[in-house]
Amino acid sequence: MLRQLPPLLDPNLLVGIATGDDAAVYRLGKDLALVQTVDFFTPIVDNPYDYGAIAAANALSDVYAMGGRPILALNIVGFPIELPVEILGRVLLGGAEKAQEAGVIIVGGHTIDDKEPKYGMAVTGIVRPGYQVANVGAKGGDLLVLTKPLGSGVITTAAKNEAVTPEVLEEAVRVMSTLNRKASEVMVSVGVHACTDVTGFGLVGHLLGMTTGSKVGARLQLAQIPFMRGAWQAVEAGFVPGGTGRNLEAADGRVRWDAEISTEAQVLLCDAQTSGGLLMAVSPRKAKRLVKELKEAGVPVVAVIGEVTPDSQGTIEVVL
Ligand code: CO
Ligand code: CO
């Protein structure tokens, strides 16, 4: 929708809306650029503290995906006036402790009365001009590296229907509230061609944004893609969120699913994620070092899930 608004022509705007990135990068001087982003959503889990932590990790992630360092945040809150205010306190505490972990200070915010709770943050970060990493820039032959397992959409949908074990939900919460900080720091120190975080459009949707914008294609290998425990069971039991269904439709005609790729697998690759991992396109020359350093930095999941192909149409092929 933003693309229908007047064009942005400021020469200091290094990354705007044209590349489909979730954060803007604006040069303030020779050595300093701002990274600006905002994100909020309705409760993804019942526990208010976890919800706050996940929403904060998710909002910060768009700065990390640009290779930036978040420094300041403002809370954005919608909360029903008739609910106990202690619940909101737990949400904000979850967000505040996550921000603290990230070295980010929350310097204010705004709350409105709202029938459906909403929480998130506007985040300001910094980056050295030229060192920002955008959604586009992937090159044929690059390897695709993913830093979190998939499945948070189907698992949280199953959890809302009380159809997952506490262990499965716990793991999903842990994954969603993990900061993409270390992954981002390693990414910047090694150097990659493109990066996005995997969120509402799912792995395939965000990868389509990358391939289309970079005028390349991609081949994904299902066997190399990491999934959260319980993800397949949730899909098989039919717990597919609305956003995931729309992502699957949007992939139609732009993704070549190999004959062996089941419908369940297609759903999972399109599953709308919350606070997902970073998806990076890295030159094969640097891939080994990237993977090694990500693992050494303690990034819990590091998977080479496929490669960038020379296909100007942005098509994704998924093989077993
Ligand atoms: Co976002
Ligand atoms: Co994003």
Side-chain angles (χ1 to χ4, degrees):
M1 292 304 290
L2 288 177
R3 288 174 205 187
Q4 297 168 21
L5 299 177
L8 308 174
L9 301 168
D10 191 319
N12 286 318
L13 187 66
L14 304 180
V15 178
I17 55 177
T19 51
D21 280 281
D22 294 332
V25 179
Y26 188 88
R27 181 171 45 213
L28 295 175
K30 200 164 70 64
D31 296 320
L32 188 65
L34 272 186
V35 184
Q36 194 68 60
T37 186
V38 59
D39 218 315
F40 61 93
F41 45 71
T42 55
I44 180 88
V45 290
D46 283 343
N47 182 307
Y49 180 92
D50 289 342
Y51 167 44
I54 292 166
N58 182 71
L60 295 166
S61 175
D62 282 324
V63 174
Y64 291 132
M66 309 299 300
R69 179 163 73 84
I71 49 175
L72 296 179
L74 297 167
N75 281 328
I76 296 168
V77 183
F79 197 74
I81 204 141
E82 54 289 347
L83 275 189
V85 74
E86 291 72 35
I87 297 178
L88 178 56
R90 296 294 297 163
V91 175
L92 296 182
L93 182 65
E97 292 194 346
K98 192 47 70 178
Q100 201 168 37
E101 182 190 333
V104 168
I105 43 179
I106 300 174
V107 290
H110 188 71
T111 306
I112 59 163
D113 177 26
D114 193 343
K115 282 203 167 35
E116 197 176 21
K118 291 171 190 80
Y119 176 58
M121 287 173 172
V123 184
T124 303
I126 51 173
V127 70
R128 233 175 108 188
Y131 284 76
Q132 74 273 4
V133 185
N135 235 343
V136 301
K139 294 182 170 61
D142 281 357
L143 295 181
L144 294 167
V145 177
L146 178 67
T147 66
K148 281 188 188 182
L150 303 179
S152 59
V154 294
I155 288 173
T156 53
T157 302
K160 281 175 184 158
N161 292 278
E162 278 152 37
V164 293
T165 63
E167 294 75 35
V168 164
L169 182 60
E170 225 168 84
E171 182 186 325
V173 167
R174 183 155 35 79
V175 170
M176 289 187 285
S177 48
T178 298
L179 291 173
N180 283 327
R181 177 186 191 168
K182 288 178 192 159
S184 173
E185 287 169 356
V186 171
M187 168 176 86
V188 172
S189 95
V190 174
V192 303
H193 287 150
C195 176
T196 178
D197 56 352
V198 178
T199 52
F201 296 126
L203 172 67
V204 156
H206 287 281
L207 180 56
L208 277 171
M210 185 185 282
T211 57
T212 310
S214 308
K215 295 192 166 51
V216 294
R219 186 180 303 107
L220 289 176
Q221 256 185 294
L222 180 66
Q224 303 304 323
I225 298 175
F227 297 100
M228 293 179 199
R229 194 147 56 111
W232 287 90
Q233 290 86 331
V235 179
E236 279 153 19
F239 295 109
V240 178
T244 299
R246 287 191 293 276
N247 291 343
L248 197 55
E249 280 169 33
D252 207 37
R254 304 171 71 194
V255 178
R256 273 202 308 273
W257 305 99
D258 223 48
E260 294 94 50
I261 306 296
S262 65
T263 313
E264 287 81 3
Q266 296 181 23
V267 168
L268 280 177
L269 297 199
C270 291
D271 188 33
Q273 301 298 281
T274 297
S275 192
L278 298 186
L279 173 67
M280 312 170 196
V282 62
S283 84
R285 192 168 56 81
K286 289 183 172 177
K288 236 197 200 134
R289 191 178 139 213
L290 178 70
V291 167
K292 181 170 164 274
E293 291 190 13
L294 285 169
K295 285 182 178 161
E296 283 169 2
V299 175
V301 168
V302 182
V304 178
I305 60 168
E307 62 191 336
V308 176
T309 57
D311 167 326
S312 61
Q313 303 303 307
T315 312
I316 299 175
E317 186 189 353
V318 183
V319 300
L320 263 191

